Amino acid sequence: MSSRRPPWLLQRRFITTNTHTKPTSNPTHNPKWCVKQVSKSNFSETLENIKDQILKSDYIAVSLKKTGSHSAPWHRTLPIDTAQTAYLKAKYAAERFQLFQFAVCPFSIRDSKLIAYPYNFHLFPRDGLKLGMPCYSFMCQSSYLTSMANEGFDFNACINDGISYLSRAQELIARNRRGNPVISNLEQSSSPHSVADSLFLGRIQSRVKSWLKACKESKTGSEDALIRSLRKLMVGSEEYGSRPCLRIDVCSERHVQLALEVLKEFADDVVPMVIRAKGGGIQAVQVVLTSSKEDKDIFEKEQQCKEEDQNKLVRGFREVIDLISASQKPLVAQNSLNDFTIIHSKFLGPLPPSMDEFRTSLHLAVPHVLDISHLMDEISPLKKLNSVSAATSYMKRRFFAPIDAEIPQKVEADESKSHGYDVLRISQLFAKICSVLKISSETDKHSSSALKGYANIFNPYSASSDNHMEEDVRLSTDHPQKISTENIVFVWGFTLGTSAKMLRNQLLTSSEVLSDEFDVRILDKSCAVIAFSKPDSSTKFLEAMESGGNNCDSLSNLISEGLRAADYETYKRVCSLGLWEVKLADSLDKALETDFDGHTEDSQKESTEVYWRNSDLINLDEL
């Protein structure tokens, strides 16, 4: 790998300041930069506006505010994580925590101007339809809620006026549970009729004819009201609104097909509707009689509008997600793995078990995801910038890339709150990065090909969506290094308060199999990770640990005091089994006690290399 720096890193710092140039606007201090706050009360009117803006924009930035992220230091995505273990950590967090704010910003970039339409949607998973969805409970972290409270977040308004939603998978379940009649198409059954089928067809045909005859005779008005009521009772006639209807109870899907086959004979006068049982399946076919072809068309349109209104009520905020998905516009985010696992979990469906399946499933809804963290790696490969503010500050110090922001939409005075500004920062930072990297910010063929290499990368410590990487270990620098997972060993059971340096010295003097070419980092207070530079060193060390430190008194003493070790496969087993204890040592102990066949097809295909970057690993000595 060449160590030559890209030409833009060689720019002199003096070009970042210019007394004659108007400074770039900062959304947190510019009162003209307002994000429209959207809740249940103004959601419907906002939906029409954002629909047009999504269609006209080139990109869509997203930013989320959640009730939590991780419950222990090692639950965060670390440089030692493969794509699969990183995904499993993000999956665990997405399934536990909830979204309270979802900021969306359709934007375009013309020359040096950012044209943005920022919205901040306030969400709350309310079970308004009494269906037990989207969820009964979720977890919160006090630090996240405290941060939101310090920003002036109104929790009462969120709970009372937050927009609810259902995922696509939950919407299908909700349709069945509602039990509302739905218009069904009349189709001829293709399978031959049995004797039982013929008897059922004859009975239903006779009943429908008797019902239609009774309905026509009742219109003449020649019969007494009591006789008409008795006749309706005998044929089972009911009312659907102002129109007569007949309910045909069924006990199987076959009966539904046969009933619809009978009704095809009367297609000019009736509209068949199916009523689904709350437990699944169809419990009845309801036949509605119309007075004319015009009346039939009116009734069908009424039912379609009614069904669409009910579906909109069920979908809630997912209407916005569906608009974004339908537009096929590139989405820009920061920390895309955590954001899009929760987006998939809350709005698409349950998260699949592997990263490959997740990427495939998400691609069907959102084909292009751009993470500004990976774009920043192209500009600052020697330093990992983990936040938008840090990346913005770095860009401001090093480069002159002025971007003027314009927000055409008007915002009411009471909506000018500070919530959702991160989505503007992401949009502005993306525009600056494109300017520095000389990437056309308009979504033409050239820019699409230029940004293609940065799309759909969900491993925070990978520079490419391709997992097949060459091994390249340099333990003496702060560069991100690719290291085989076979060279990584986890150790725990050492004395509380032991630093990485102390532990390294103890291991170095306790075993003859260890040389100077290994590095130690503390992952949490209970566990450390060792990275070996030689392929066989990890195997020899694990064998020495399993033997109890034979022929090595120092190592034997450490083992007798409780020192334990495990390979990377044990760590993968921890993540696969969901052993998310607060202490990594406890999780590793449980994994060693559990029988598990981790050699699945997905794990065999997965890369066996991770990125080792000293500056990114947790070092409790420095805290």
Side-chain angles (χ1 to χ4, degrees):
M1 182 182 296
S2 175
S3 60
R4 184 178 179 182
R5 294 187 180 184
W8 51 80
L9 288 178
L10 303 179
Q11 298 183 62
R12 295 180 61 84
R13 187 169 177 175
F14 71 84
I15 68 170
T16 64
T17 57
N18 189 330
T19 57
H20 301 289
T21 304
K22 184 178 179 180
T24 304
S25 300
N26 188 334
T28 58
H29 299 293
N30 192 336
K32 295 181 180 179
W33 282 44
C34 296
V35 179
K36 185 174 181 61
Q37 306 298 315
V38 186
S39 58
K40 186 171 60 175
S41 56
N42 64 339
F43 177 64
S44 297
E45 61 185 73
T46 302
L47 201 59
E48 292 301 320
N49 294 333
I50 197 172
K51 180 179 180 179
D52 294 336
Q53 290 153 6
I54 286 174
L55 292 175
K56 295 176 182 177
S57 67
D58 292 333
Y59 302 92
I60 304 170
V62 295
S63 176
L64 316 181
K65 282 284 187 180
K66 299 166 283 187
T67 61
S69 178
H70 56 270
S71 304
W74 74 274
H75 291 179
R76 296 186 300 177
T77 303
L78 301 172
I80 62 168
D81 282 310
T82 62
Q84 177 64 11
T85 58
Y87 167 70
L88 291 173
K89 289 182 176 183
K91 177 178 181 288
Y92 176 62
E95 292 170 343
R96 296 172 71 218
F97 298 105
Q98 192 55 248
L99 281 174
F100 273 2
Q101 296 183 68
F102 195 120
V104 179
C105 182
F107 70 94
S108 301
I109 307 169
R110 299 294 180 265
D111 297 326
S112 296
K113 178 178 285 187
L114 172 71
I115 306 170
Y117 298 87
Y119 295 86
N120 187 50
F121 294 87
H122 296 256
L123 311 181
F124 191 77
R126 189 182 301 101
D127 185 14
L129 300 176
K130 308 300 180 185
L131 299 174
M133 296 182 293
C135 65
Y136 281 116
S137 61
F138 55 87
M139 297 193 69
C140 298
Q141 283 182 271
S142 58
S143 59
Y144 275 69
L145 299 187
T146 301
S147 175
M148 294 171 70
N150 291 338
E151 295 173 359
F153 184 75
D154 190 339
F155 289 94
N156 286 328
C158 173
I159 295 171
N160 295 322
D161 202 26
I163 309 164
S164 190
Y165 54 85
L166 288 183
S167 70
R168 292 177 180 177
Q170 289 171 333
E171 183 184 358
L172 294 176
I173 298 172
R175 286 181 182 177
N176 294 335
R177 290 187 181 179
R178 288 205 309 263
N180 295 332
V182 179
I183 294 178
S184 178
N185 295 324
L186 293 172
E187 296 179 357
Q188 186 75 26
S189 176
S190 58
S191 57
H193 296 160
S194 64
V195 175
D197 291 344
S198 299
L199 291 174
F200 182 81
L201 284 169
R203 188 169 68 251
I204 297 301
Q205 188 178 45
S206 175
R207 186 181 172 192
V208 172
K209 286 182 177 180
S210 299
W211 169 67
L212 289 174
K213 181 180 178 182
C215 290
K216 290 178 180 179
E217 290 177 352
S218 66
K219 291 180 180 180
T220 61
S222 59
E223 291 183 338
D224 183 73
L226 178 60
I227 296 176
R228 286 200 303 270
S229 299
L230 291 174
R231 187 185 295 276
K232 284 183 179 181
L233 184 63
M234 290 177 63
V235 298
S237 183
E238 301 174 359
E239 295 287 331
Y240 189 86
S242 60
R243 298 176 177 88
C245 72
L246 175 68
R247 180 187 174 99
I248 304 173
D249 291 323
V250 294
C251 57
S252 67
E253 291 289 339
R254 179 60 176 168
H255 280 180
V256 175
Q257 294 176 0
L258 295 173
L260 295 176
E261 185 177 331
V262 170
L263 295 173
K264 195 171 184 180
E265 179 183 345
F266 313 99
D268 293 338
D269 301 318
V270 302
V271 177
M273 306 175 73
V274 295
I275 303 175
R276 296 189 176 275
K278 291 187 176 181
I282 298 175
Q283 64 178 357
V285 175
Q286 189 162 277
V287 189
V288 179
L289 178 63
T290 56
S291 58
S292 63
K293 186 178 184 304
E294 291 75 13
D295 184 47
K296 182 180 178 181
D297 293 339
I298 291 172
F299 176 73
E300 289 178 343
K301 289 180 180 178
E302 288 176 351
Q303 290 303 117
Q304 290 174 358
C305 292
K306 184 179 179 181
E307 179 71 13
E308 184 59 27
D309 290 342
Q310 289 177 338
N311 289 340
K312 283 184 177 180
L313 182 64
V314 166
R315 288 192 289 263
F317 174 73
R318 213 198 74 234
E319 288 277 337
V320 178
I321 301 297
D322 289 346
L323 289 175
I324 293 172
S325 176
S327 73
Q328 300 288 287
K329 298 293 176 66
L331 266 64
V332 182
Q334 195 263 341
N335 198 351
S336 59
L337 178 61
N338 287 340
D339 284 356
F340 282 90
T341 47
I342 199 167
I343 287 173
H344 191 295
S345 173
K346 307 307 179 189
F347 304 115
L348 301 182
L351 287 165
S354 71
M355 169 65 95
D356 287 340
E357 291 174 283
F358 162 72
R359 188 183 285 111
T360 301
S361 176
L362 183 67
H363 189 268
L364 297 175
V366 185
H368 307 290
V369 176
L370 297 168
D371 193 323
I372 57 173
S373 299
H374 298 301
L375 288 166
M376 279 301 300
D377 284 342
E378 191 71 19
I379 295 176
S380 176
L382 307 183
K383 185 177 182 180
K384 189 71 175 177
L385 302 170
N386 294 317
S387 68
V388 177
S389 57
T392 302
S393 178
Y394 178 87
M395 293 286 291
K396 187 176 181 180
R397 293 194 310 269
R398 299 290 298 273
F399 303 101
F400 177 65
I403 298 294
D404 293 327
E406 177 184 333
I407 302 179
Q409 67 183 6
K410 302 298 181 182
V411 178
E412 300 295 334
D414 58 349
E415 293 181 310
S416 57
K417 300 177 182 178
S418 61
H419 307 310
Y421 272 120
D422 278 348
V423 77
L424 274 172
R425 297 191 190 102
I426 290 172
S427 304
Q428 188 181 42
L429 179 58
F430 177 78
K432 286 178 176 287
I433 293 172
C434 288
S435 175
V436 171
L437 295 180
K438 307 300 182 184
I439 297 175
S440 174
S441 49
E442 297 185 33
T443 52
D444 54 18
K445 184 176 180 180
H446 173 71
S447 64
S448 298
S449 60
L451 290 170
K452 186 177 180 180
Y454 304 101
N456 305 324
I457 304 174
F458 295 104
N459 187 347
Y461 294 96
S462 172
S464 169
S465 57
D466 185 6
N467 286 330
H468 302 286
M469 301 173 290
E470 296 180 359
E471 190 170 343
D472 184 13
V473 180
R474 297 188 188 93
L475 296 177
S476 60
T477 70
D478 283 339
H479 292 223
Q481 303 142 30
K482 288 171 283 186
I483 182 171
S484 172
T485 56
E486 296 177 356
N487 295 350
I488 291 179
V489 173
F490 295 85
V491 293
W492 66 98
F494 46 82
T495 305
L496 184 65
T498 302
S499 67
K501 184 177 181 180
M502 292 168 58
L503 182 59
R504 186 180 188 280
N505 291 335
Q506 290 177 4
L507 294 172
L508 188 61
T509 58
S510 64
S511 177
E512 296 178 356
V513 301
L514 296 177
S515 64
D516 289 335
E517 297 180 8
F518 73 95
D519 196 9
V520 177
R521 282 287 170 172
I522 304 294
L523 291 182
D524 65 8
K525 292 182 179 180
S526 69
C527 184
V529 62
I530 306 174
F532 293 94
S533 60
K534 294 183 178 179
D536 298 333
S537 298
S538 60
T539 303
K540 292 178 180 178
F541 176 72
L542 288 171
E543 289 174 351
M545 289 290 296
E546 290 176 2
S547 67
N550 290 341
N551 302 322
C552 185
D553 294 338
S554 299
L555 183 59
S556 179
N557 291 336
L558 289 175
I559 294 174
S560 64
E561 292 173 0
L563 187 69
R564 302 193 69 185
D567 59 7
Y568 198 89
E569 287 298 319
T570 307
Y571 178 70
K572 290 169 65 175
R573 189 187 309 172
V574 165
C575 299
S576 298
L577 293 175
L579 303 176
W580 305 109
E581 303 295 332
V582 175
K583 295 181 179 179
L584 178 54
D586 294 339
S587 298
L588 291 168
D589 281 330
K590 287 187 176 182
L592 291 174
E593 297 169 0
T594 306
D595 293 331
F596 175 72
D597 182 13
H599 296 285
T600 62
E601 184 178 350
D602 289 332
S603 65
Q604 291 172 357
K605 291 180 180 179
E606 187 185 9
S607 169
T608 59
E609 294 173 342
V610 295
Y611 278 80
W612 180 272
R613 185 200 297 258
N614 291 353
S615 59
D616 287 333
L617 290 173
I618 302 169
N619 188 355
L620 297 184
D621 305 340
E622 300 171 357
L623 298 181

